[in-house]
């Protein structure tokens, strides 16, 4: 059955306002899309286009108090159902953090945090004024969280820049945009988040484009929140990292005459004896 995300909206009355419920569900779907697909990209002609989205369906839909279960329907191009199964987990775990701490949740980009802040801005702090999310795995509930206005307050503070420094970040460039203010999306090795990297020169845009899908080290001015998380990186240089060499196991049999027909143990003993 896979992984599903159950959403419950309860007004405390006989019925839930339809427009409000639809707006909340739309905001949640936008967040799920960001948690999976990430930033916008541009084609060679500079036309801006959103990253393709996976499609979700209702596996359950109840009325009165709105109860909807969202399940994967069709992965985006290049995506998979396994990747879609991770999205509800990332959403629930992220809101668990957002309800308790003033941080950008693990695995969330700054853009995802902004979408979640917008979604929860008008929530209250009760069952009737918030949104209950349940992670359902193979038909069984695994985690449940009441999402309230606290998430919006905590995310607002987590998105405030508190200090700047010069430094470097290593990761993989997995997206970029050259519309108006060029930037790249860097999936950091440490922290497991996508970081927006501003590209202030044409040379840096060219380097980032050539490094798309590759590991790099980006040096520049880093802006952080109170928790020390990187919110923005303005690049001064981008250095592509050497591609990983083939593991030794891939070299097995590459030099069949290396030992002169001897087994490896006899060959090594002979080397020791001649040393």
């Amino acid at each position: 059955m896979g992984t599903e995300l159950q959403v419950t909206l309860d007004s405390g009355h006989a019925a839930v306002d339809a427009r409000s419920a639809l707006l909340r569900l739309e905001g949640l779907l936008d967040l799920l899309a960001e948690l999976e697909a990430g930033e916008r990209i541009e084609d060679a002609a500079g036309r801006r286009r959103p990253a393709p989205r996976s499609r979700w369906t209702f596996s359950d839909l109840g009325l009165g108090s709105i109860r909807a279960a969202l399940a994967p329907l069709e992965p985006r191009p290049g995506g998979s159902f396994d990747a879609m199964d991770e999205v509800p987990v990332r959403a629930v775990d992220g809101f668990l953090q957002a309800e308790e701490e003033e941080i950008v949740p693990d695995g969330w980009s700054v853009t995802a945090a902004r979408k979640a802040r917008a979604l929860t801005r008008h929530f209250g702090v009760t069952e009737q004024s918030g949104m209950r999310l349940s992670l359902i795995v193979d038909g069984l509930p695994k985690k449940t969280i009441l999402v309230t206005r606290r998430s919006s307050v905590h995310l607002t503070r987590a998105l405030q820049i508190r200090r700047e420094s010069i430094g470097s970040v290593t990761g993989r460039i997995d997206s970029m945009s050259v519309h108006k203010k060029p930037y790249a999306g860097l999936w950091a090795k440490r922290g497991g988040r996508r970081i927006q990297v501003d590209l202030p020169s044409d040379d840096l845009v060219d380097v980032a484009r050539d490094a798309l899908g590759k590991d790099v080290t980006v040096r520049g001015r880093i802006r952080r929140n109170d928790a020390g998380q990187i919110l923005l990186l303005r690049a001064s240089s981008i250095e592509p990292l050497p591609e990983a060499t083939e593991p030794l196991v891939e070299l097995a049999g590459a030099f069949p005459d290396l030992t002169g027909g001897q087994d490896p143990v006899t060959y090594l003993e002979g080397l020791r004896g001649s040393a």
Side-chain angles (χ1 to χ4, degrees), residues 115-269:
K115 288 183 179 293
R117 179 181 62 180
L119 170 63
T120 57
R121 180 176 290 128
H122 301 297
F123 283 11
V125 295
T126 67
E127 187 89 22
Q128 290 73 37
S129 59
M131 176 177 67
R132 185 166 293 279
L133 296 180
S134 295
L135 181 65
I136 310 297
V137 180
D138 295 332
L140 300 175
K142 296 296 182 181
K143 293 181 183 178
T144 297
I145 175 69
L146 177 62
V147 182
T148 70
R149 189 172 59 228
R150 282 188 291 269
S151 285
S152 179
V153 173
H154 290 166
L155 289 170
T156 296
R157 294 172 180 168
L159 291 169
Q160 293 175 346
I161 296 172
R162 294 301 189 185
R163 61 182 187 271
E164 296 187 11
S165 62
I166 301 297
S168 61
V169 181
T170 297
R172 173 163 296 202
I173 296 180
D174 65 357
S175 59
M176 67 178 299
S177 170
V178 295
H179 183 74
K180 292 184 179 179
K181 295 181 65 175
Y183 66 87
L186 180 74
W187 191 265
K189 293 289 187 183
R190 298 181 61 183
R193 290 195 304 113
R194 181 182 290 105
I195 298 169
Q196 179 175 319
V197 179
D198 283 352
L199 306 170
S201 72
D202 290 341
D203 288 344
L204 288 172
V205 171
D206 291 339
V207 174
R209 183 183 289 112
D210 291 341
L212 193 61
K214 300 177 182 178
D215 290 337
V216 299
T217 294
V218 181
R219 183 170 179 80
R221 183 169 294 276
I222 299 174
R223 297 178 178 180
R224 302 177 185 268
N225 60 13
D226 267 341
Q229 295 176 303
I230 298 174
L231 301 180
L232 183 66
L233 171 55
R234 183 176 175 83
S236 59
S237 67
I238 300 175
E239 180 182 351
L241 297 179
E243 295 186 10
T245 57
E246 292 182 306
L248 291 178
V249 67
E250 299 293 336
L251 299 179
F255 304 98
D257 298 325
L258 178 63
T259 64
Q262 295 177 312
D263 65 83
V265 174
T266 302
Y267 177 72
L268 290 174
E269 289 177 346

Side-chain angles (χ1 to χ4, degrees), residues 35-80:
L35 290 177
E36 183 194 15
E39 309 290 344
R40 292 173 178 265
I41 58 177
E42 292 192 2
D43 59 23
R47 292 186 294 268
R48 199 176 187 191
R49 59 187 177 87
R53 288 189 174 188
S54 296
R55 297 170 62 198
W56 298 78
T57 188
F58 291 114
S59 63
D60 183 38
L61 184 61
L63 302 178
S65 294
I66 297 295
R67 187 187 69 254
L70 299 171
L73 176 62
E74 181 182 3
R76 62 190 175 95
S80 67

